[in-house]
């Protein structure tokens, strides 16, 4: 879909579509310019080059949701927890907290304790957790997180399987949020 060759869309619609892309991204080159490109190296160039511009220095007053994502490390690669806040009307997404833990030598009970500590940190930051979405390939570990949360008095947290889009779709979505200046990360205490 090289947008300039498509005569069926109006100039206004074309401008709207183009505005959602970061002009330095591979997605702009592929989707807008129609170039054949291979994605390699740094994925979010604009974010990396202008990282300080994406810091949210004041706590948003209009968080409607706070969601924790859990990715279990396969082949001993490590476990990741990321908490994101979503503002009213889904206007902005704020990375509230993130942690990575080496999977080597961690047992399910240790993972449960680390998870509970992370969730308590998120509750301190955001006030609550709307939902937790965990890597659906690891049902035993998800049950362990539920058990650990229950023991810690967090049994009210909904811990469900994550629905995963294709990797390229997730990367493209994040790149669009960055280009639209709708993705931020927390820099307040």
């Amino acid at each position: 879909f090289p947008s300039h060759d498509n005569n069926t869309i109006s100039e206004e619609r074309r401008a709207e579509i183009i505005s959602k892309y970061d002009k330095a991204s591979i997605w702009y080159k592929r989707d807008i310019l129609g170039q054949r490109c291979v994605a390699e190296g740094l994925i979010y160039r604009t974010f990396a080059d202008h990282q300080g511009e994406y810091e949210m220095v004041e706590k948003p007053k209009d968080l409607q949701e706070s969601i924790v994502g859990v990715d279990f490390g396969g082949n001993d690669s490590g476990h990741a927890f990321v908490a994101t806040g979503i503002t009213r009307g889904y206007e902005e997404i704020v990375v509230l907290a993130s942690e990575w833990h080496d999977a080597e030598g961690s047992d399910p009970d240790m993972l449960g304790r680390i998870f509970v500590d992370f969730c308590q940190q998120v509750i301190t930051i955001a006030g609550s957790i709307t939902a937790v979405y965990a890597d659906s390939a690891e049902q035993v570990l998800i049950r362990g997180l539920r058990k650990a949360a229950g023991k810690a008095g967090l049994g009210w947290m909904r811990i469900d399987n994550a629905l995963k889009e294709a990797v390229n779709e997730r990367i493209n979505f994040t790149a669009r949020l960055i280009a639209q200046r709708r993705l931020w990360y927390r820099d307040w205490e």
Side-chain angles (χ1 to χ4, degrees), residues 97-172:
S98 64
E99 290 182 3
W100 181 88
H101 296 275
D102 192 351
E104 188 176 324
S106 68
D107 60 54
D109 289 336
M110 180 185 298
L111 180 61
R113 287 190 300 276
I114 293 168
F115 170 72
V116 165
D117 289 346
F118 181 78
C119 288
Q120 288 170 334
Q121 175 188 350
V122 172
I123 292 167
T124 300
I125 294 167
S128 68
I129 294 174
T130 308
V132 176
Y133 296 106
D135 186 345
S136 59
E138 299 292 345
Q139 292 300 306
V140 171
L141 295 178
I142 292 173
R143 284 193 297 275
L145 297 184
R146 288 181 182 134
K147 182 179 174 184
K151 280 181 159 179
L154 302 175
W156 51 267
M157 280 192 317
R158 198 176 92 219
I159 303 173
D160 291 327
N161 293 330
L163 299 175
K164 289 188 176 181
E165 292 289 330
V167 171
N168 284 350
E169 291 298 320
R170 290 182 269 163
I171 292 170
N172 193 11

Side-chain angles (χ1 to χ4, degrees), residues 81-84 94-99 118 121-122 125 186:
F81 305 121
V82 177
T84 53
V94 182
V95 179
L96 301 170
S98 64
E99 290 182 3
F118 181 78
Q121 175 188 350
V122 172
I125 294 167
R186 174 181 163 264

Side-chain angles (χ1 to χ4, degrees), residues 2 10 19 23 31 44 47 50 53-54 67 72 81 90 96 98 105 111-112 120 128 138-139 150 161 168 185 189:
S10 68
S19 73
K23 290 184 174 64
D31 296 348
Y44 306 116
F47 183 83
H50 304 279
E53 296 174 22
Y54 293 92
I67 298 168
F72 301 113
F81 305 121
Y90 298 92
L96 301 170
S98 64
L111 180 61
Q120 288 170 334
S128 68
E138 299 292 345
Q139 292 300 306
N161 293 330
N168 284 350
Y185 67 92
E189 293 305 317

